Amino acid sequence: MSRYAEIIIDIAYNKLDRPFTYRVPERMQEVLQPGSLVMVPFGKGNVLRKGYVITLKDDCGMDPEKVKEIAELPVNDSGYSEDDDGATAIALAAWMKRRYGSTMAAALRTVLTSRKPGKPVKTREIELILSREEAQKQLEIYIRKHQVARERLLRELMEVPRQPYSLITGKLHITAPVIRAMSLAGVIKVTEEESFRNPVLFDKADEDRKELSEAQKAIVDGVLADFDAGKSTVSLIHGITGSGKTEVYISIIKGIVDRGRKAIMLIPEIALTYQTLLRFYRYFGERVSVMNSSLSDSEKADQWERARRGEIDVIIGPRSALFTPFAQLGVIVIDEEHEGSYKNESMPKYHTREVAEELARLKNACVVLGSATPSLESYYRAQDGTYRLYTLTERLTGGTLPTVEIADLRQELRNGNRSILSERLQQLLEDRLERGEQSILFLNRRGVAGFVSCRSCGSVIKCPHCDISLSLHKNNRLVCHYCGYEQPGVKECPECGSPYISGFRAGTEQIEEHLKIRYPGARVLRLDADTTSRKGSYDKILSSFANREADILVGTQMIVKGHDFPGVTLVGILLADMSLYAGDYRAAERTFQLLTQAAGRAGRGEVPGNVVIQTYQPENYAVQYASAQDYEGFYKEEMNYRSLLLYPPAAHMLCVQLQSDNEDRAESLAGRLRELFVRDDPEVLVIGPAKGSLTKIRDQYRYVIYIKDVNYDKLVRCKDRAEAFYAYLVKIGKDPQVQVQFDFDPVSPF
Ligand code: ADP
Ligand code: ZN
Ligand code: ZN
């Protein structure tokens, strides 16, 4: 029996980021564990604060008179009596604190989000109340009347007669009026129940299982063999969309579950489609659960509670599902592992893949990564043998790969075509409109950095020190967001002397306008941050397009993920250059991924598709390799560049981020930190300080310093030095009043 507990107070002050000792009251003796969430009196006023139990001990280690007592468990006491795995969670938090330079409290908050109390919730479901024959008749009526949405819902329910309301409206894009109408017509019934249950209710249906191909089977066998040998390996599956990766994940998870262990299946929220979920439900029935942002906090807590109690074997969800409290974790699968959303952008700025690896190590579990366009990080590790590499090269559904063409916008300008659409794209668009097929026009706008390019020769103004495109600021200065280099804006192209040099500004709205004027008969939909700001509008636009209620969909990268539109036979990428010059070192990689994925949107159905990539830089390697669908080629060339300039994964990079409402303070501290880093270790490469790519947000001025080195530990030392220096300034009464954060191997510019 432990009479004392060391507790980290859940508070943002660095100064308090150390354990405090408390007495454990009698009634909590049985239930407290490392990781337990408690309320404790804190400070002079004994205000009740949340805290996390780190260790339990018998020895007080200080004057017992001065020790306060834990006040309460915020949950009913039984909440933690199960076989919870708090000790691993704390080890993981400690690792994150060190690796990402956050406070222990912030790391614990992240890792232990799942320790919040669960309450029974209301689950709404939709149930088919017609018999098989009646349903079939009704279906024919809907088809005759072209009531597409009703037809779709009915078909779904004929397969699985009872499904959660939120799934139907969310992932299947069925609107509330449609549900109301069908319910009034006596086709379906909406039910409400209070329970701890899964948000999904399915029976297992074995008939859907596929015989795995040789290549698929080899992967499943390989991963399970490693697992059985007790090795905590990471495997990377490189396979184009439709090559059967998901089927492989399912079989691996099945193998792990058969061995009595649990599985975490991570999928980026935006790619977490209804169809994908359904495949898992068919396999694992109610032993699988889903976690996503459409669930309320208490619904989430419910799922975690079920995981803790061992009621489920598999959890599917985005980043945060990694922290599901499975005591018997056996595998973590990360689909679309290259996705930027796996990087957490608030403290601790962790990368899901790295945390997954550490968690797997602690649990002796294995990690499986999958992507059609693996991140350079992962592929690099696959090359050097740290990861196991598996490849899937064939599409199993038939469906031909699209024909990809590049339209040279410089040539268009020379031919006198100043429109946003190249000749070739216009031609194909008109052809699709005539044939009644659908098109997607994609503007890969990203971030705010406005690069400046020449419309005659395609060259882009770059930083002479970093080989990164300069960004145009409002005062007509061109700025590098890595090193701070600045120069005045230009009136003519330094390469060819053309006056057609400027920042590219056309947005989705202008393109929509342009299309409406040019093709008055066409039905155009737009999907971007503006049109989707209202809740539910994202799904509404996509469902209306999926229902063929429009001919052309114009949108940002939001449209390239997750959704299948079999009616789409043309994809136009309006300006590939847009993401090429986003002003950060991952721009080419991101462009390659976006182009490859956008291209994959065409020709999912029977009709082969066309893709047109418009660009001022047809010779750019990211554009070239994407149009040739050549990942290896791209990887080699991009790695050359990263090695040359010491960008990750060839080296590691630490971004020190400073923010203050007082610009001078931020700038001055940045300067002093730079000196400190350089003096401390003359071997690390210190770049900057520079203004952040967003120079000011909410009246906070932003500065960055980048530090590069092949040795990660050196960067950690720089971070420790910066923290110690800051603490010292505070101690001598010179608090810099600047917020300092650390981002290791950053994914997006600050
Ligand atoms: P990915 O996850 O790589 O996009 P999926 O696993 O979704 O690929 O597979 C793509 C399609 O191929 C799906 O419709 C799936 O049902 C089908 N499929 C996968 N494996 C097989 C197989 N071994 N035999 C037949 N069809 C398969
Ligand atoms: Zn030029
Ligand atoms: Zn620079």
Side-chain angles (χ1 to χ4, degrees):
M1 231 181 257
S2 311
R3 294 164 49 219
Y4 299 95
E6 293 202 358
I7 287 170
I8 294 263
I9 310 297
D10 190 0
I11 205 168
Y13 304 130
N14 270 318
K15 273 183 284 183
L16 300 179
D17 196 44
R18 59 176 182 85
F20 292 85
T21 302
Y22 282 86
R23 183 176 299 112
V24 180
E26 197 81 26
R27 65 197 151 85
M28 292 183 199
Q29 292 282 353
E30 296 294 315
V31 292
L32 274 200
Q33 285 188 34
S36 290
L37 182 61
V38 291
M39 301 298 283
V40 290
F42 192 76
K44 290 211 181 70
N46 279 333
V47 184
L48 281 192
R49 289 202 172 273
K50 262 195 282 175
Y52 302 100
V53 175
I54 299 294
T55 43
L56 292 163
K57 54 184 189 178
D58 285 326
D59 192 17
C60 178
M62 59 186 279
D63 180 3
E65 292 292 303
K66 291 195 178 142
V67 176
K68 298 175 190 173
E69 192 170 81
I70 297 173
E72 55 186 294
L73 292 161
V75 207
N76 51 15
D77 287 11
S78 68
Y80 298 103
S81 60
E82 300 296 318
D83 176 28
D84 198 352
D85 200 12
T88 313
I90 287 167
L92 190 64
W95 179 87
M96 285 170 78
K97 168 188 156 69
R98 176 162 170 76
R99 181 152 184 107
Y100 303 110
S102 78
T103 61
M104 189 63 186
L108 282 168
R109 205 177 304 131
T110 307
V111 172
L112 296 173
T113 50
S114 59
R115 268 59 171 184
K116 287 188 190 123
K119 265 202 220 97
V121 283
K122 288 203 169 85
T123 36
R124 261 208 289 181
E125 287 173 346
I126 293 177
E127 197 182 336
L128 179 64
I129 51 178
L130 297 184
S131 71
R132 186 100 215 149
E133 297 85 60
E134 288 169 331
Q136 188 56 43
K137 272 195 211 125
Q138 191 60 47
L139 187 68
E140 278 151 26
I141 297 174
Y142 288 152
I143 294 173
R144 195 149 15 86
K145 291 189 179 167
H146 297 292
Q147 292 176 314
V148 222
R150 290 174 203 208
E151 177 197 331
R152 209 143 39 90
L153 176 53
L154 186 53
R155 273 189 203 281
E156 282 301 332
L157 291 172
M158 284 168 72
E159 270 191 59
V160 183
R162 193 164 151 193
Q163 302 191 31
Y165 192 95
S166 60
L167 269 178
I168 299 279
T169 52
K171 297 298 176 191
L172 205 55
H173 311 317
I174 305 286
T175 57
V178 170
I179 294 172
R180 221 172 301 128
M182 287 174 72
S183 156
L184 278 175
V187 177
I188 58 172
K189 190 170 81 183
V190 180
T191 59
E192 210 166 44
E193 255 179 78
E194 213 176 64
S195 67
F196 251 131
R197 265 191 339 212
N198 205 325
V200 258
L201 249 203
F202 290 103
D203 291 328
K204 281 202 223 178
D206 288 349
E207 81 274 11
D208 207 48
R209 292 189 189 170
K210 306 262 179 333
E211 187 76 36
L212 291 187
S213 70
E214 285 298 311
Q216 286 174 312
K217 201 164 171 315
I219 303 177
V220 176
D221 291 347
V223 171
L224 291 176
D226 279 341
F227 180 83
D228 288 337
K231 292 186 211 152
S232 174
T233 45
V234 183
S235 305
L236 171 64
I237 308 175
H238 177 206
I240 55 168
T241 318
S243 61
K245 294 187 297 297
T246 308
E247 212 59 38
V248 170
Y249 304 149
I250 291 175
S251 293
I252 291 171
I253 292 174
K254 175 86 169 48
I256 296 288
V257 170
D258 285 347
R259 287 159 173 76
R261 305 277 288 268
K262 314 284 181 188
I264 294 172
M265 173 78 225
L266 302 179
I267 302 181
E269 177 106 38
I270 198 160
L272 192 64
T273 60
Y274 181 80
Q275 280 79 7
T276 306
L277 291 181
L278 206 55
R279 286 169 71 181
F280 281 88
Y281 296 139
R282 293 229 172 97
Y283 243 96
F284 300 102
E286 57 171 38
R287 303 291 298 174
V288 58
S289 186
V290 64
M291 183 77 63
N292 63 33
S293 62
S294 74
L295 296 183
S296 69
D297 279 354
S298 70
E299 278 175 307
K300 281 184 193 162
D302 246 29
Q303 300 321 305
W304 273 313
E305 185 63 34
R306 298 181 63 231
R308 206 178 346 255
R309 293 180 181 192
E311 290 176 12
I312 52 178
D313 295 323
V314 186
I315 187 108
I316 305 177
R319 195 172 66 214
S320 63
L322 180 61
F323 302 110
T324 304
F326 280 135
Q328 295 293 323
L329 185 62
V331 66
I332 303 165
V333 181
I334 306 182
D335 190 28
E336 310 274 356
E337 64 86 29
H338 63 277
E339 266 295 307
S341 62
Y342 283 122
K343 175 82 191 235
N344 188 38
E345 294 293 358
S346 60
M347 291 301 269
K349 302 193 176 194
Y350 67 88
H351 199 293
T352 306
R353 186 175 52 233
E354 294 171 350
V355 181
E357 267 179 63
E358 178 62 14
L359 179 59
R361 203 183 59 74
L362 290 167
K363 297 267 194 178
N364 210 23
C366 53
V367 176
V368 177
L369 311 172
S371 174
T373 50
S375 64
L376 256 72
E377 274 75 7
S378 295
Y379 208 70
Y380 181 73
R381 278 174 206 131
Q383 298 297 314
D384 77 9
T386 314
Y387 294 174
R388 274 190 210 283
L389 179 65
Y390 297 100
T391 328
L392 290 173
T393 47
E394 278 165 50
R395 232 179 217 193
L396 294 166
T397 38
T400 41
L401 286 173
T403 313
V404 183
E405 298 164 69
I406 297 178
D408 183 348
L409 291 177
R410 298 170 306 188
Q411 192 59 43
E412 299 286 327
L413 186 71
R414 265 173 244 138
N415 297 346
N417 174 17
R418 296 217 187 171
S419 117
I420 311 166
L421 306 175
S422 61
E423 285 289 338
R424 180 62 180 152
L425 189 52
Q426 289 176 25
Q427 206 180 17
L428 288 170
L429 253 183
E430 284 157 24
D431 172 68
R432 298 303 130 103
L433 287 172
E434 255 167 47
R435 297 209 312 233
E437 293 171 11
Q438 291 180 296
S439 307
I440 289 179
L441 297 183
F442 169 61
L443 193 67
N444 48 332
R445 155 162 265 168
R446 176 121 208 173
V448 288
F451 68 93
V452 170
S453 71
C454 170
R455 299 185 66 181
S456 299
C457 77
S459 62
V460 167
I461 316 265
K462 289 189 172 184
C463 173
H465 311 294
C466 306
D467 200 31
I468 293 291
S469 53
L470 296 175
S471 297
L472 185 62
H473 283 218
K474 284 213 184 75
N475 56 4
N476 199 32
R477 309 269 310 163
L478 291 164
V479 182
C480 171
H481 293 308
Y482 279 116
C483 71
Y485 170 86
E486 266 192 57
Q487 68 170 58
V490 291
K491 293 228 162 48
E492 53 184 51
C493 173
E495 296 294 324
C496 75
S498 156
Y500 292 113
I501 185 155
S502 63
F504 185 92
R505 287 226 181 70
T508 41
E509 200 174 343
Q510 283 102 307
I511 291 159
E512 184 190 18
E513 288 306 307
H514 178 81
L515 289 169
K516 281 185 172 156
I517 292 163
R518 198 176 171 102
Y519 306 113
R523 298 164 302 167
V524 184
L525 275 177
R526 173 160 66 97
L527 188 84
D528 57 23
D530 290 340
T531 58
T532 55
S533 55
R534 266 191 31 243
K535 197 168 183 288
S537 46
Y538 174 76
D539 283 335
K540 213 161 132 205
I541 294 168
L542 287 177
S543 60
S544 134
F545 191 62
N547 287 341
R548 295 195 175 228
E549 286 157 23
D551 305 301
I552 307 176
L553 177 63
V554 183
T556 54
Q557 61 265 20
M558 283 176 158
I559 59 183
V560 305
K561 298 281 154 51
H563 294 265
D564 253 346
F565 305 110
V568 172
T569 57
L570 171 65
V571 169
I573 293 152
L574 294 172
L575 189 59
D577 315 33
M578 205 108 199
S579 57
L580 264 184
Y581 303 112
D584 78 309
Y585 74 94
R586 287 179 198 263
E589 180 180 2
R590 208 173 281 133
T591 303
F592 179 82
Q593 289 163 352
L594 279 171
L595 296 184
T596 308
Q597 264 164 14
R601 299 273 92 193
R604 287 296 182 86
E606 269 101 69
V607 195
N610 283 81
V611 176
V612 178
I613 301 178
Q614 304 195 140
T615 174
Y616 289 105
Q617 293 237 322
E619 64 284 345
N620 180 285
Y621 66 102
V623 174
Q624 284 290 335
Y625 286 121
S627 70
Q629 325 233 344
D630 178 3
Y631 179 86
E632 285 279 335
F634 174 75
Y635 172 80
K636 290 209 177 87
E637 189 141 354
E638 180 67 9
M639 270 316 291
N640 275 341
Y641 158 76
R642 304 266 176 110
S643 306
L644 219 57
L645 288 157
L646 283 184
Y647 287 122
H652 291 288
M653 188 153 131
L654 167 62
C655 174
V656 183
Q657 308 171 335
L658 300 97
Q659 277 194 78
S660 172
D661 53 6
N662 181 320
E663 186 167 15
D664 292 340
R665 280 214 189 101
E667 195 179 2
S668 131
L669 181 65
R672 296 181 73 178
L673 286 179
R674 186 204 150 85
E675 275 170 37
L676 183 81
F677 296 140
V678 173
R679 204 179 51 221
D680 242 36
D681 185 351
E683 304 216 319
V684 297
L685 209 55
V686 183
I687 303 144
K691 288 183 171 138
S693 66
L694 300 163
T695 43
K696 191 167 128 182
I697 298 179
R698 279 174 251 108
D699 288 321
Q700 296 282 310
Y701 293 88
R702 295 150 72 91
Y703 278 81
V704 283
I705 304 169
Y706 287 95
I707 310 172
K708 295 196 267 195
D709 201 280
V710 287
N711 184 345
Y712 197 96
D713 289 336
K714 281 198 176 191
L715 301 184
V716 172
R717 265 204 298 282
C718 288
K719 182 219 79 186
D720 289 345
R721 281 293 285 141
E723 280 178 342
F725 180 63
Y726 199 106
Y728 165 76
L729 289 178
V730 172
K731 198 169 165 195
I732 62 168
K734 292 190 177 158
D735 188 339
Q737 294 175 26
V738 177
Q739 193 198 346
V740 182
Q741 293 193 338
F742 304 94
D743 190 356
F744 287 87
D745 292 343
V747 165
S748 40
F750 177 66

